[in-house]
Amino acid sequence: MSVTKVIEFGAASEQRTEKQKTAGLRRLLARQLILELGIPLVSYYGLRAAGAGEWLALAVGTVLTAPWIVYGAIRNRRFDVTAAFALSLMLTGGVVSLVTGDPRLLLVRDSWLGALLGLWILLTLSTQRPFIMLSSRAVVIAKVGEAGAKAWEDRWNHEADFRRHIRILTAVWGAVFLIDAGVRVVLAYSLPVDSVPGISTAQWLVVLGCLLAFHARYVARNGLKA
C-alpha cells in the first residue's frame, strides 16, 4: 500500500466533520487493502488450489493489481511517482522471474519498493522539508485551510522542538520501511513459497497498524497537530 495514500489522506472540503473524515479514511484504507493485498492473496491461493504453478499464481496476482494502480493515477489526474515506480518494479520483476524461472523474485518485488521508499524517507532528513512535513500537508490543509497550513509549516522555522519531533517521526517511518523490506526478503528465501504470501501480508498489516498507531500517539503527545 502506498504510504502517501495513508498519510496524505484529507477531506475534499474543510467543512467536513471529524466523523466524516474518519469514515472516509476507513473506506480508503479498506479499499486499498482489498485491491493491493486482498486480491493478489486470494488469487494466488485460489489458483494454487486449482493446480496452477507458483510462478503463474504470483504473476496473475500482479497482473490483477496493476490496473487498479493505473486507475488510481488516472482518477487523481496527476502523475503518481510511487504508482509508476511500483508498476515498473512489477514489470521488471515479472520479466526477470520469467527468464530465471524463480518465483521468489516475484515475492521480493514489494521489498524493493519498500527499501527504496525507506531510503528516500531517510534522505529527506537532511532537507528543510523532511518526509513527514511533505506527506502531512494535505491533511493539514483539509483540517485548517491554506492559512492554517502555512502557520503550521512556519513552526519549522521558529520551533526547535517541532523540527526535532518531525525528524524523529521521519526517521521512524524510514527505518520501519527498511527493516520491513529486509524481513520480507528473509521470509521469501527461507520459507516455502506457498507460505510467503500469507505470512508476508499478515506481517505488513501488523507493521502498518503499529506504525500508524505510533504516529498518531506521537503527534498528539508532542503537540504536532495543526
Side-chain angles (χ1 to χ4, degrees):
M1 180 187 297
S2 171
V3 65
T4 53
K5 291 180 181 177
V6 175
I7 301 181
E8 290 184 353
F9 175 79
S13 169
E14 296 176 24
Q15 284 72 39
R16 294 177 66 182
T17 66
E18 289 298 322
K19 185 175 181 180
Q20 288 175 319
K21 292 177 184 179
T22 301
L25 177 56
R26 288 174 178 171
R27 287 193 297 271
L28 172 64
L29 291 176
R31 184 169 63 249
Q32 291 299 123
L33 289 175
I34 291 172
L35 296 180
E36 297 184 15
L37 297 179
I39 290 178
L41 193 64
V42 171
S43 67
Y44 176 79
Y45 287 113
L47 287 171
R48 289 293 286 152
E54 296 168 342
W55 187 92
L56 178 61
L58 288 169
V60 169
T62 298
V63 171
L64 291 176
T65 303
W68 295 107
I69 296 177
V70 175
Y71 170 74
I74 295 175
R75 182 181 181 185
N76 293 330
R77 296 181 180 178
R78 66 178 183 180
F79 179 75
D80 190 327
V81 176
T82 304
F85 186 62
L87 285 173
S88 67
L89 283 182
M90 287 180 182
L91 178 61
T92 303
V95 171
V96 174
S97 180
L98 178 61
V99 172
T100 62
D102 185 1
R104 295 184 188 273
L105 288 175
L106 288 176
L107 290 173
V108 300
R109 182 200 66 228
D110 291 339
S111 299
W112 304 344
L113 178 60
L116 290 174
L117 183 57
L119 181 61
W120 172 74
I121 290 174
L122 293 178
L123 288 175
T124 66
L125 286 170
S126 62
T127 70
Q128 290 299 309
R129 285 295 181 268
F131 169 73
I132 294 299
M133 289 289 290
L134 295 171
S135 60
S136 298
R137 193 172 190 278
V139 178
V140 175
I141 291 176
K143 291 177 65 177
V144 297
E146 290 284 353
K150 187 178 186 304
W152 182 78
E153 290 177 328
D154 282 344
R155 295 179 62 186
W156 174 268
N157 300 319
H158 306 293
E159 300 179 28
D161 282 345
F162 182 81
R163 293 194 295 271
R164 179 169 60 86
H165 290 308
I166 289 293
R167 286 194 171 108
I168 289 174
L169 266 183
T170 297
V172 168
W173 275 87
V176 168
F177 269 78
L178 282 175
I179 294 172
D180 176 74
V183 172
R184 283 170 178 259
V185 172
V186 172
L187 291 176
Y189 283 97
S190 60
L191 296 176
V193 172
D194 282 337
S195 301
V196 177
I199 294 176
S200 183
T201 299
Q203 173 208 332
W204 173 236
L205 290 174
V206 171
V207 169
L208 181 61
C210 291
L211 186 56
L212 290 175
F214 169 80
H215 180 97
R217 182 177 177 82
Y218 192 90
V219 166
R221 287 184 61 183
N222 294 285
L224 300 181
K225 288 186 176 182

